[in-house]
Amino acid sequence: MAAPPLVRLAAGVVVTGLESTLTDLRDALTRVRLPLETPEAARHRAARDEVVGQLDDYVLPRLRQIDAPLLAVVGGSTGAGKSTMVNSLVGRRVSEPGVLRPTTRAPVLVCHPDDVAWFDDDRVLPDLARSHGPSQDPGAVQVVTADTVPRGLAVMDAPDIDSVEVRNRALASQLLAAADLWLFVTSAARYADQVPWDFLRAAAERSAAVAIVLDRTPPAAVDEVGAHLREMMDARDLAASPLFTVAEVGLDGEGLLPAQQTAPIAGWLHDLAADSDARASVVRQTLEGAVESVVRRARGIAEAHGDQRAAVQQLHQDVARSYDRARREVGEASADGSLLRGELLARWQEFVGAGDLMRSVESKVGWLRDRVTGFFRGQPAQVDRVTSAVETGLEALLVEHAEAAAERARDAWDGSTTGRQVLSEPGARDLGRASREFRGAAERVVRDWQRAVVELVREEGQSRRTTARFLAFGVNGLAVALMIVVFVSTAGMTGAEVGIAGGSAVLGQKLLEAVFGDQAVRRLTELSRRDLEERVAAAYDGERARWDEVLAALGVRTEDGERLDAAVGAVERSRVAEPEARA
């Protein structure tokens, strides 16, 4: 017998390409994380899990074995008579009806003995184990064979879709998503309930093949209730779905419905199984609808991931702004004269001898140069005290602004839902303060900068015709003077306009100019100031990294979103290619 059109299509390039792109989409979905409580995030997290499950349980297995038997899942509400319906269609008791609710047991799959190989492995529902006897394990499928089930068709009894047991409801949803055909059983008393229609609406949205059984209907109400149910189906895009009505009658000694009550349903299933074109049509309808649903929902998940990335980016920016401000304010405070006060000013004035040397600033440069060597060489203790005061003052400035930056960033995060959520994470509890390691980092920054300034002065001295003796005794003092000049480099101070602090700084500049010249002093000051700014920026980058690490731990990665976008696009292109290949 020639293979039906859908099978021929499945064996060709188009379905092979679609399977590959859907596999990539499945992998991309598993990488996507949606940890932040952005709008609709919970819904999209559930959708991601459902889409991955549908790809694993139905879409990919069906594409790989397009000619496998149809799987008809019998689902419905509590007490609708699903198990009794399955038993009656098979002609013997294969599924135990639940007398007590909720019933926890393995779902039962019934197929012809010749088809058992299709369902004995993990081709479909790969995460459910297989059992060949009664089981109370909802994580397994009980596979039963029966000659009364036609070849090419399997029937599965699913748990109640409205069970009070969460795992039963989840399993019912999983099984229905894995079905080629839904045989949806409801009753005259429950056919208008919301939960069944939520499932049926989902089936309509993804164009799944559905047949509805109105069970346990009082004979006098069959026509009236059946007509009303048909109106509801027509209004909800289920006009093409068959509707079967089963009257409420007594069961036989085996607990089965009279054969005449189930004959229309059994006949329809047998005809479907016997007609390869009809089976192919059902598979095509459900498969195409499932793929369309997967693409649509994956697109929504990709958009949700974009929202997550935007939220993370905003949190990054909050932190960046705070630490950029800290870096900027330290740069200003370390160059506008603010540091030259208190202990540092006292040690500097002590070092330069504010009295005599201040009065000689305006004297001849040559006279000043003559005194520089003896001036610095005679005061190593004062040099050390100024160096220590620089270290203390600059370190305190760095720590103060690190604390302020952490507090600002925390307050910014605390102003948003996503920020508060991240702050509640265990790794974020200490973010509102500078790290315990920062004081040590600040000490290293200052000491390394001081050493760099000394080395800069040494190199500058070596490039000039300066005596070795002067360099040996004067380099540290000149370096201290350069640090002081850096601290007032943007203050715009001139001799007549300043008080004691400014005058002291001007003295340091005059001393440096006496040795190196004014152009060299400007260059040395700029190099030292820029070096300090870079070291401060690196230290604050280390503090900022704590926040970045917390955000990185969320797993919201740009590359994952880009990969998902690309995978969705590839599936869409594969679907567009199918009609062209068929033509």
Side-chain angles (χ1 to χ4, degrees):
M1 181 193 308
L6 184 61
V7 175
R8 286 200 298 271
L9 178 62
V13 175
V14 174
V15 170
T16 301
L18 184 59
E19 178 190 338
S20 175
T21 56
L22 284 169
T23 299
D24 291 342
L25 176 59
R26 186 253 181 222
D27 293 342
L29 284 166
T30 61
R31 292 172 179 266
V32 164
R33 298 289 178 268
L34 304 171
L36 296 176
E37 294 306 328
T38 53
E40 302 292 321
R43 181 171 66 85
H44 286 296
R45 282 194 291 268
R48 176 199 56 199
D49 296 342
E50 291 169 3
V51 170
V52 170
Q54 188 172 28
L55 286 168
D56 287 344
D57 292 340
Y58 177 69
V59 175
L60 292 173
R62 175 51 76 186
L63 282 172
R64 291 167 187 148
Q65 294 181 308
I66 202 77
D67 55 347
L70 287 181
L71 177 59
V73 173
V74 181
S77 303
T78 302
K82 300 183 299 299
S83 297
T84 299
M85 181 60 62
V86 170
N87 291 336
S88 300
L89 290 172
V90 174
R92 64 184 174 90
R93 202 178 185 92
V94 292
S95 182
E96 291 298 324
V99 177
L100 298 176
R101 303 291 176 176
T103 301
T104 302
R105 56 176 173 75
V108 178
L109 183 148
V110 192
C111 64
H112 190 278
D114 293 347
D115 291 337
V116 71
W118 290 106
F119 301 103
D120 240 357
D121 58 18
D122 60 356
R123 181 187 68 86
V124 293
L125 300 166
D127 62 330
L128 298 180
R130 298 302 191 264
S131 167
H132 290 277
S135 173
Q136 301 300 311
D137 181 6
V141 174
Q142 180 187 350
V143 179
V144 178
T145 59
D147 292 331
T148 52
V149 176
R151 294 181 181 85
L153 175 73
V155 179
M156 177 178 279
D157 182 14
D160 301 332
I161 60 172
D162 55 357
S163 173
V164 297
E165 283 280 353
V166 174
R167 61 181 176 179
N168 281 353
R169 294 199 304 272
L171 181 57
S173 298
Q174 180 183 6
L175 298 181
L176 287 168
D180 294 302
L181 169 66
W182 291 19
L183 192 61
F184 209 83
V185 181
T186 187
S187 66
R190 312 233 11 217
Y191 73 93
D193 287 359
Q194 183 62 41
V195 173
W197 283 106
D198 287 342
F199 275 83
L200 291 171
R201 183 178 64 252
E205 288 175 354
R206 69 179 183 90
S207 303
V210 178
I212 297 179
V213 178
L214 179 61
D215 195 15
R216 296 183 174 176
T217 309
V222 166
D223 292 339
E224 179 183 357
V225 175
H228 186 225
L229 178 54
R230 171 52 72 183
E231 290 176 3
M232 295 179 71
M233 293 168 60
D234 293 347
R236 291 165 173 79
D237 297 324
L238 293 170
S241 297
L243 172 61
F244 301 98
T245 303
V246 177
E248 187 170 21
V249 295
L251 305 179
D252 65 15
E254 294 293 323
L256 308 180
L257 291 164
Q260 63 269 27
Q261 289 291 326
T262 58
I265 306 170
W268 178 72
L269 290 174
H270 278 259
D271 290 345
L272 183 61
D275 187 336
S276 60
D277 288 339
R279 290 202 315 273
S281 178
V282 168
V283 169
R284 178 182 294 279
Q285 175 184 337
T286 300
L287 184 56
E288 289 182 349
V291 172
E292 182 178 351
S293 174
V294 162
V295 171
R296 182 179 65 253
R297 300 177 81 184
R299 196 181 300 116
I301 294 165
E303 292 174 0
H305 191 261
D307 293 340
Q308 298 263 316
R309 298 201 305 274
V312 170
Q313 182 62 27
Q314 180 59 55
L315 296 176
H316 275 298
Q317 290 174 357
D318 291 340
V319 175
R321 278 194 297 269
S322 183
Y323 281 94
D324 285 347
R325 176 178 166 183
R327 177 187 53 77
R328 187 171 60 253
E329 290 178 346
V330 167
E332 293 169 355
S334 61
D336 65 2
S338 299
L339 274 177
L340 199 54
R341 59 190 178 187
E343 179 70 13
L344 176 55
L345 177 59
R347 298 288 77 76
W348 169 245
Q349 288 179 325
E350 178 183 280
F351 172 63
V352 298
D356 294 339
L357 286 177
M358 279 291 290
R359 286 191 294 270
S360 67
V361 166
E362 300 298 330
S363 299
K364 294 179 181 180
V365 170
W367 177 88
L368 185 60
R369 183 182 296 113
D370 291 339
R371 293 197 57 189
V372 162
T373 299
F375 169 65
F376 283 128
R377 186 175 57 209
Q379 305 180 69
Q382 284 98 336
V383 171
D384 291 341
R385 284 195 288 271
V386 177
T387 300
S388 178
V390 167
E391 182 179 335
T392 300
L394 195 50
E395 177 192 327
L397 182 68
L398 295 182
V399 172
E400 174 189 347
H401 285 279
E403 293 285 0
E407 186 175 348
R408 278 194 305 270
R410 181 198 60 202
D411 291 346
W413 280 18
D414 199 43
S416 69
T417 301
T418 52
R420 288 192 295 275
Q421 178 187 345
V422 178
L423 285 173
S424 68
E425 296 292 324
R429 290 172 182 168
D430 296 330
L431 288 180
R433 299 198 59 184
S435 68
R436 297 174 182 176
E437 298 80 13
F438 185 73
R439 185 169 294 277
E443 291 177 359
R444 288 190 295 275
V445 166
V446 177
R447 289 175 181 174
D448 290 348
W449 177 69
Q450 289 176 320
R451 281 193 289 268
V453 172
V454 170
E455 188 60 30
L456 190 64
V457 169
R458 189 189 310 279
E459 291 174 358
E460 186 67 22
Q462 289 174 346
S463 69
R464 297 176 175 273
R465 294 179 179 178
T466 311
T467 65
R469 182 180 181 186
F470 172 77
L471 291 175
F473 289 97
V475 65
N476 290 339
L478 288 170
V480 166
L482 180 55
M483 295 176 202
I484 298 301
V485 171
V486 168
F487 293 158
V488 296
S489 58
T490 65
M493 295 178 174
T494 59
E497 299 170 344
V498 298
I500 297 175
S504 299
V506 170
L507 176 58
Q509 183 170 340
K510 292 294 184 179
L511 293 173
L512 290 169
E513 289 175 353
V515 177
F516 300 121
D518 58 347
Q519 289 186 355
V521 172
R522 284 194 293 271
R523 177 171 51 79
L524 292 172
T525 302
E526 177 61 22
L527 289 173
S528 299
R529 184 182 60 79
R530 191 180 309 154
D531 182 43
L532 178 59
E533 289 177 348
E534 291 174 354
R535 292 177 188 276
V536 170
Y540 284 159
D541 284 346
E543 286 293 279
R544 176 179 165 181
R546 299 184 301 144
W547 302 74
D548 294 339
E549 288 169 3
V550 169
L551 292 175
L554 297 173
V556 182
R557 302 187 301 180
T558 298
E559 56 268 33
D560 292 339
E562 292 173 347
R563 179 174 180 174
L564 179 56
D565 289 335
V568 171
V571 173
E572 289 175 327
R573 289 189 294 275
S574 295
R575 295 180 67 219
V576 169
E578 180 178 340
E580 298 174 358
R582 204 181 315 165

